[in-house]
Amino acid sequence: MRVCVVGCGAVGSLFAANLAGLDDVEVWAYDLAHEHVEAINEHGLRLSGAGEVLGRLRATSDPAELPSCDFGIVATKAMHTESAIRATAGAFRDGCVATVQNGVGNEDVIAAHVERVIRGTTFPAGKLVAPGHVQWDVKGDTTLGPFEPRPAPFEEVERLADACTRAGMPTYAVHDARGPQWRKVIFNAATNPVGALTGLTHGRVCERPDLRQLVTGLVDEGKAAAAAQGIELDADPEELIDHAAKPEVAYDHKSSMLQDVEARRRTEVDYLNGGIVRFGREHGVPTPLNAAIWSLVKGLEESWAI
Amino acid sequence: MIRRTCVVGAGSIGSLYAAHLARVAESCVLTRREDHAFALNEHGLRVTGRHDFLARVLAAARAGDLPEPDLVIVATKATGLESAAAALAGRFPTATVMTVQNGLGAEEIVRSHGSWPLVSGVTFMSGTKHSDAHVEYILDTETWIGPYGDTPFECVEEIAALLVAAGLQAEALPDLRPAQWSKLIFNATVNSVAALTGLPHDRHFAAEDGESDLGRLVHALVDEGKRVAAAAGVELYDDPWEMNVLATKRGSAHYPSMLEDVEARRPTEVDLITGALVREADKHQIPAPLHTAMYRLVKAKEASYT
């Protein structure tokens, strides 16, 4: 089978390099960073840290070079989904496309361009340290399920999950993948922007009792928005938050949004707090704290233009 | 009859009062630093901008080195108020003391250090301090003053007349609370939003078209503040939302002091501004979740300095 990773940043690289190790999978990567693409084609895609991998695959910035693929795995930052899937949709005319991105709403964007869509959530994380080289920080599970409005056949979801698992990325195929997705969205929306606005690491956010209460306020709104859609969370996001705050887990971790803010890059807030606000509105759930946080982070992004 | 005045704290606001009062009274200045007092005694106090003149003042860093004033204006930032009031304890028994700090609660802090007749003030004027002995007068807007406790209104009227004779805009109000609360809600909203987003008080604060536009949060914060005022039995003097919209239409965007404080990584006045509003909400059992969130975020941002 042939898989194309669309957006070969840190998370995309974890999938691409690991899948490239399988004999029965041909891996392509689509990415706009030319240096990264050239390094992958010349030297392979290297992972170090939680696992040492050197994946041999084909990378390109030109969608016309992509062959017809059985699967796409979209791993761009959420704000680049539209342009990335519009450019590459031709390669997936006969295939299925999964998203493993942060936030909610990426599936809808993808479904506007391709027929068969897979909703996904992934917990492993890493960072790009040099062109062609990604540091694998944490291992973790991935969950995939058909996106109901334009679903991929469940056998296909299972086929992709099986390949990822065999490649060293434990992946579950489920009929309703919204539970893990919303657990992660709620976790990210309640913690990332609080870190981004205050400059505090995850652990320091959690050890201030009043700030931790704000985090819980954000979590509660997200839970209400999920419940109104009939989504059953697979675990309580609060547990994930407290677990991550431990010194040996992610106390010193600066949220990806804080890293974005420090580098003055656009953040994914539209798909995190913005997503919770939109789904809340559609289902009659008030989300005033998420709306406040959404506006503050958008305002912060605007301040860089002054 | 006010013959001698003493301004405590010669930041931009204190410097503007001291210099102008020197035109109509003997103007003394109590500074925190010895070298600041030395510079004022040596060079006088230069005003540029809206007005242009050089004032002669008598400055000292110890209250005991200054002659007895008839009027004391405490013009420190809220963060310096406690130590400034403590320095006055046991001194100037015949003086009237006026506060002009942002927020609420300055009068109580001064009261805890002495039994002077107190006058409450709020000021909308602004300036920029270019050196210890030079202040630029930027906005020649009003200072509103009113009696605190059982201070007679005639005393307030005399101070207002003195300020007007000195060339400043001033108005005596029998009840300052409506004006004080209008400014409290305005400051609690605008200053905290500016501190967290890095935006000066510009058009973003009035923009409400898009779902994540900052004006929506500003409006929600103002509405929440108005509910607290209503519960406290205060009828507002000006509508804080209209004050906000008007201020964003002035030519150059104002940098709220709380934004300057976080950029310089200094403690902010949030405890006496947003903190005061949240305490009033608690006292009157009115929910104020948005101002509570803003308070927690600004306090956390202060904690991130170290």
Side-chain angles (χ1 to χ4, degrees):
Chain A
M1 81 192 208
R2 193 182 283 136
V3 177
C4 177
V5 170
V6 177
C8 199
V11 168
S13 292
L14 299 182
F15 282 94
N18 280 303
L19 283 168
L22 297 179
D23 292 337
D24 58 338
V25 178
E26 176 188 334
V27 179
W28 283 72
Y30 171 78
D31 199 279
L32 295 181
H34 291 287
E35 283 189 355
H36 187 47
V37 162
E38 280 169 28
I40 293 171
N41 286 330
E42 271 182 46
H43 309 292
L45 177 54
R46 188 154 83 86
L47 308 181
S48 57
E52 302 289 327
V53 177
L54 183 64
R56 291 286 171 186
L57 53 125
R58 290 284 308 276
T60 180
S61 301
D62 178 7
E65 283 188 14
L66 292 176
S68 179
C69 295
D70 300 296
F71 292 101
I73 298 176
V74 180
T76 63
K77 289 256 186 188
M79 56 279 199
H80 302 132
T81 310
E82 168 68 28
S83 56
I85 195 63
R86 190 170 358 102
T88 58
F92 307 116
R93 227 166 268 137
D94 303 315
C96 305
V97 177
T99 162
V100 292
Q101 298 161 281
N102 279 333
V104 283
N106 297 299
E107 307 81 9
D108 302 88
V109 176
I110 293 168
H113 297 277
V114 300
E115 293 290 328
R116 289 164 293 276
V117 180
I118 299 172
R119 180 197 302 275
T121 299
T122 192
F123 283 92
K127 54 179 164 288
L128 194 64
V129 287
H133 181 195
V134 163
Q135 183 177 311
W136 190 354
D137 288 329
V138 246
K139 294 196 170 188
D141 293 346
T142 299
T143 310
L144 301 176
F147 175 58
E148 282 310 330
R150 297 194 97 174
F154 194 66
E155 313 79 70
E156 291 296 288
V157 178
E158 286 180 311
R159 194 151 78 99
L160 179 60
D162 172 64
C164 292
T165 301
R166 284 188 290 119
M169 301 279 284
T171 301
Y172 302 94
V174 299
H175 288 280
D176 183 356
R178 295 179 304 166
Q181 182 185 28
W182 273 79
R183 173 165 64 105
K184 188 174 182 194
V185 166
I186 293 169
F187 171 83
N188 283 335
T191 58
N192 290 12
V194 173
L197 290 166
T198 61
L200 294 176
T201 64
H202 180 76
R204 291 195 65 193
V205 166
C206 292
E207 74 192 4
R208 295 180 65 83
D210 67 336
L211 203 58
R212 186 66 182 78
Q213 277 180 34
L214 171 60
V215 169
T216 292
L218 291 162
V219 167
D220 288 346
E221 288 181 4
K223 283 178 177 173
Q229 300 169 68
I231 297 171
E232 247 178 76
L233 300 180
D234 58 337
D236 189 343
E238 294 278 6
E239 287 169 17
L240 194 58
I241 292 168
D242 288 332
H243 175 73
K246 291 179 185 162
E248 68 279 16
V249 184
Y251 179 95
D252 287 321
H253 178 69
K254 286 184 175 181
S255 71
S256 61
M257 198 181 287
L258 174 53
Q259 295 178 41
D260 286 339
V261 164
E262 287 182 343
R264 299 193 159 205
R265 284 189 298 256
R266 273 188 63 200
T267 72
E268 294 184 300
V269 72
D270 287 341
Y271 304 86
L272 298 174
N273 305 85
I276 288 174
V277 171
R278 282 195 302 272
F279 277 91
R281 189 191 52 225
E282 282 165 23
H283 294 86
V285 175
T287 54
L289 289 174
N290 278 282
I293 294 288
W294 188 19
S295 291
L296 286 172
V297 175
K298 295 307 280 182
L300 184 58
E301 293 177 2
E302 290 286 322
S303 77
W304 304 330
I306 292 174
Chain B
M1 178 77 188
I2 302 169
R3 290 199 178 79
R4 189 183 289 134
T5 59
C6 178
V7 170
V8 180
S12 50
I13 297 294
S15 298
L16 288 169
Y17 283 125
H20 284 86
L21 285 168
R23 297 162 143 188
V24 292
E26 190 184 335
S27 178
C28 302
V29 183
L30 180 59
T31 63
R32 187 171 48 81
R33 290 177 287 113
E34 292 279 358
D35 58 331
H36 191 174
F38 183 83
L40 289 172
N41 290 329
E42 182 82 359
H43 306 294
L45 183 47
R46 160 73 56 195
V47 177
T48 56
R50 296 276 173 171
H51 295 156
D52 203 326
F53 63 96
L54 178 68
R56 280 282 148 210
V57 297
L58 175 62
R62 278 183 311 212
D65 293 344
L66 290 171
E68 293 275 331
D70 306 300
L71 169 67
V72 173
I73 299 179
V74 184
T76 61
K77 284 199 156 189
T79 45
L81 180 61
E82 173 60 38
S83 61
L88 294 177
R91 309 227 173 242
F92 309 155
T94 59
T96 298
V97 178
M98 169 176 149
T99 56
V100 289
Q101 280 67 28
N102 283 327
L104 289 185
E107 300 89 343
E108 284 87 343
I109 291 174
V110 174
R111 171 60 74 233
S112 69
H113 292 282
S115 55
W116 312 278
L118 296 181
V119 170
S120 305
V122 294
T123 184
F124 292 90
M125 68 176 180
S126 76
T128 301
K129 230 178 95 175
H130 293 292
S131 75
D132 278 349
H134 176 198
V135 63
E136 183 185 349
Y137 191 11
I138 309 245
L139 285 181
D140 59 347
T141 26
E142 285 188 316
T143 298
W144 293 334
I145 54 182
Y148 179 80
D150 50 12
T151 304
F153 187 55
E154 297 72 53
C155 171
V156 177
E157 287 179 310
E158 191 189 355
I159 297 170
L162 185 76
L163 291 171
V164 170
L168 296 169
Q169 310 280 332
E171 194 176 345
L173 303 170
D175 181 3
L176 190 69
R177 292 210 312 159
Q180 208 168 22
W181 273 75
S182 290
K183 194 177 184 212
L184 171 71
I185 295 167
F186 174 85
N187 283 142
T189 301
V190 171
N191 288 21
S192 59
V193 169
L196 291 170
T197 60
L199 286 169
H201 193 196
D202 66 5
R203 62 183 169 79
H204 293 97
F205 287 66
E208 295 188 274
D209 293 340
E211 199 175 13
S212 63
D213 279 358
L214 200 57
R216 293 203 181 195
L217 171 61
V218 170
H219 215 146
L221 285 164
V222 165
D223 287 345
E224 192 178 278
K226 285 161 84 169
R227 287 193 292 274
V228 179
V234 177
E235 205 168 311
L236 296 177
Y237 185 86
D238 276 328
D239 183 90
W241 172 253
E242 285 167 20
M243 292 164 71
N244 165 63
V245 172
L246 199 65
T248 60
K249 288 180 178 161
R250 275 198 299 257
S252 64
H254 176 64
Y255 267 76
S257 61
M258 206 178 286
L259 171 56
E260 293 180 338
D261 287 338
V262 298
E263 286 186 347
R265 302 168 81 88
R266 284 189 299 254
T268 72
E269 296 183 303
V270 74
D271 276 309
L272 276 188
I273 302 176
T274 305
L277 190 58
V278 170
R279 286 190 295 275
E280 289 287 330
D282 282 348
K283 193 162 102 190
H284 299 286
Q285 296 179 335
I286 282 283
L290 293 177
H291 282 286
T292 303
M294 300 300 281
Y295 177 73
R296 291 169 171 171
L297 288 168
V298 174
K299 292 301 282 181
K301 197 169 185 86
E302 291 179 356
S304 78
Y305 303 158
T306 52

